[in-house]
Amino acid sequence: MGKVAGIDSSTTGTTVVVCDSETGAVLRQGHAPHPLDDGEKPTEIDPQAWLLSLGEAAKDGVLEGVQAIGISGQQHGLLALDAGGVTVRPALLRGDKRAQAQAVDLTDELGGAAGWAEAVGSVPQAAYPVAKLRWIAQHEPQTAKRIAQVLLPHDWLVWQLLGRPARRTTDRGDASGTGYWSAATGEYRTDLVERALGHQVALPDVLAPAEPAGQTPEGLLISAGTGDNMAAALGLGLGPGDAVVSLGAAGTVFAVHHEALKDPTGTVTAFADATGRHLPVVQVRNAVRTLRGTADLLGTDLAGLSELALQSTPGAYGLVLLPYLEGERTPDLPHTAGTLAGLRRDSMKPEHLARAAFEGMLCGLTDALDVLRNKGVEVRRVFLLGAAGELPAVRAIAPALFGTQVVVPPAAEYAALGAARQAAWSLGVVLGSQSQTEPPPWAEAATQLLEPGDDSAVGSAVRQQYVAVREQTHPGAFASL
């Protein structure tokens, strides 16, 4: 029995899981927060903190007997290095929103969303490294001049574990979130880096999915690594026909697809995955924040809101909530507000408003799923992620609205598990026991399966009611999607 490890370096800490390389069974694990200096901002960090928390998470022999290691890192982070490999400033994290104006400027400079979608499959956002580089160029010009190399968080960690070799590497999944690498062509757009920063820099080599990055001085194999979303997809065992709906304050919908999508509206972001396939993503601004806002209004919590919603009936007595509380990205309505329609004396009850909140949130996410479906992405089952997926009202309503089987996986460190699976894949290829085209077939976790069943017709009626209000309030909002 071989052992492999997956390391997930998130925005807050490091998680290590050690797995059986053949079955994926978790043998050991550890976790440690990133140590922060008092002066550090939540948007940036000294990357040495990642190494310190890794050491803490791996203490007491957690990595003993491991043959290979995979790294998952937060997407969209940026490490700017000088010619000698020394960071010229703290790492900029995914949640840094300072580059919003720079993202807009870059978008306009390339002819809008369509120009960027054609170039790299994504439109600049404040989080993307390409926008961060423009921010540094404008706000820290002396620092910008020193930048000779650019890495992502997982790239930097792999490089550190390998002993800082001359060659630096990344993978196609994480590279697809930079704003200057195209999942469609598999190539960098170095002209976009120069446009953002003002000069060229060295970029890491993009490895194939099963291609190892190298070996540590102690002889441990290090796989290519990837971004945390791609690692989570690998840890969940997603394949063609699988989609994910991730429920946070905002919502993210993505699916495994055989090709990169080019969406001239910029609604779909063409990420690559960690297996050689693609991971088109659609985002909505309003998911669980819709539920929390409604719960606050009704003087309850999420569990209480769920209980209230189940006292109502499908369609909430005609009450429809368009959940655009923070504006919306899908559809593109950045400056709008939410809408509550269908108020009648019979519908003006807490349970109906609670039901309308759940149906509105899930219909908004179904809109995002339909964007992918309408572009040819097959969706046979939907994985529901996030703590809100445990709410009985979500589980009761989602299958009928999504129109397909819903899978609720158990809580687990899926990004770390995906990194470990990638390590097992690379190890197997090196040893000649594993194909280069598919990762090892680890056993799927015990999941709960929810079927639309006889509620499909009811779900369609609820969707029609929602769409009618959406089209009346925002006519043509989805016309180009």
Side-chain angles (χ1 to χ4, degrees):
M1 177 180 70
K3 297 184 183 70
V4 294
I7 296 170
D8 177 46
S9 182
S10 72
T11 55
T12 58
T14 302
T15 299
V16 179
V17 297
V18 175
C19 301
D20 182 304
S21 61
E22 295 182 5
T23 67
V26 177
L27 307 175
R28 298 187 295 271
Q29 62 184 61
H31 177 79
H34 296 320
L36 300 178
D37 293 335
D38 291 340
E40 283 178 327
K41 304 174 185 177
T43 56
E44 54 187 54
I45 191 173
D46 180 349
Q48 293 297 324
W50 299 337
L51 296 178
L52 292 172
S53 66
L54 171 55
E56 187 68 17
K59 70 179 183 181
D60 299 327
V62 168
L63 294 177
E64 184 177 349
V66 164
Q67 296 172 273
I69 295 174
I71 301 286
S72 160
Q74 57 172 291
Q75 276 191 272
H76 308 315
L78 175 71
L79 291 106
L81 288 66
D82 65 16
V86 178
T87 53
V88 300
R89 68 172 328 282
L92 291 169
L93 303 181
R94 169 167 51 198
D96 189 344
K97 298 180 180 179
R98 286 177 287 185
Q100 289 177 334
Q102 288 71 30
V104 172
D105 289 345
L106 284 167
T107 301
D108 292 342
E109 290 171 17
L110 210 65
W116 282 89
E118 178 65 28
V120 291
S122 62
V123 180
Q125 299 179 37
Y128 287 12
V130 70
K132 288 179 166 73
L133 288 173
R134 171 63 68 85
W135 185 90
I136 294 173
Q138 291 183 348
H139 291 269
E140 301 175 356
Q142 295 307 312
T143 298
K145 291 177 182 178
R146 295 175 56 202
I147 299 176
Q149 310 166 60
V150 172
L151 297 176
L152 303 173
H154 110 256
D155 308 341
W156 187 85
L157 285 164
V158 165
W159 183 54
Q160 295 294 320
L161 292 183
L162 292 175
R164 298 165 61 93
R167 186 193 190 202
R168 296 166 180 82
T169 62
T170 190
D171 89 302
R172 55 193 297 278
D174 218 358
S176 66
T178 60
Y180 46 77
W181 185 88
S182 168
T185 66
E187 296 178 349
Y188 283 115
R189 284 290 301 267
T190 56
D191 60 310
L192 299 181
V193 177
E194 185 171 4
R195 175 183 290 273
L197 186 60
H199 63 269
Q200 289 290 348
V201 297
L203 300 170
D205 294 342
V206 181
L207 300 177
E211 184 180 357
Q215 289 188 332
T216 70
E218 297 78 24
L220 285 177
L221 186 76
I222 306 296
S223 64
T226 193
D228 51 3
N229 287 313
M230 295 77 192
L234 189 57
L236 283 164
L238 301 186
D242 290 335
V244 168
V245 171
S246 180
L247 295 173
T252 302
V253 176
F254 59 87
V256 178
H257 195 48
H258 63 278
E259 65 180 355
L261 297 181
K262 289 185 179 179
D263 176 14
T265 71
T267 302
V268 179
T269 299
F271 287 155
D273 78 349
T275 71
R277 298 185 178 91
H278 297 268
L279 211 63
V281 176
V282 179
Q283 295 178 330
V284 301
R285 289 185 181 174
N286 302 278
V288 179
R289 64 164 42 100
T290 304
L291 304 183
R292 293 196 183 280
T294 309
D296 288 345
L297 182 65
L298 295 175
T300 186
D301 56 14
L302 293 185
L305 190 73
S306 175
E307 185 176 346
L308 274 174
L310 293 177
Q311 295 172 19
S312 181
T313 56
Y317 271 63
L319 206 58
V320 175
L321 176 64
L322 300 183
Y324 306 153
L325 306 185
E326 299 290 331
E328 190 46 77
R329 183 172 176 183
T330 307
D332 185 20
L333 299 167
H335 306 300
T336 193
T339 301
L340 185 62
L343 282 170
R344 298 179 177 84
R345 181 65 189 88
D346 288 344
S347 65
M348 295 177 69
K349 295 181 180 180
E351 59 268 30
H352 303 323
L353 178 55
R355 180 87 186 197
F358 279 95
E359 290 180 347
M361 177 191 76
L362 291 168
C363 280
L365 291 162
T366 305
D367 279 346
L369 269 173
D370 285 347
V371 169
L372 294 179
R373 287 172 168 141
N374 292 339
K375 292 186 178 300
V377 178
E378 182 182 20
V379 178
R380 292 196 303 268
R381 57 179 183 169
V382 172
F383 285 70
L384 196 59
L385 302 184
E390 300 292 329
L391 295 172
V394 171
R395 296 188 177 200
I397 298 170
L401 291 181
F402 293 163
T404 191
Q405 182 185 74
V406 173
V407 181
V408 185
E413 301 290 349
Y414 288 107
L417 286 170
R421 191 177 180 204
Q422 187 194 65
W425 191 6
S426 290
L427 180 64
V429 168
V430 169
L431 297 178
S433 61
Q434 182 66 43
S435 164
Q436 293 190 23
T437 58
E438 291 292 336
W442 282 5
E444 288 191 12
T447 58
Q448 297 186 44
L449 303 180
L450 309 175
E451 301 285 354
D454 297 334
D455 292 335
S456 293
V458 174
S460 295
V462 172
R463 280 282 292 153
Q464 289 172 6
Q465 175 179 271
Y466 177 90
V467 169
V469 172
R470 189 196 69 210
E471 284 301 303
Q472 183 178 13
T473 310
H474 305 287
F478 274 92
S480 62
L481 301 183

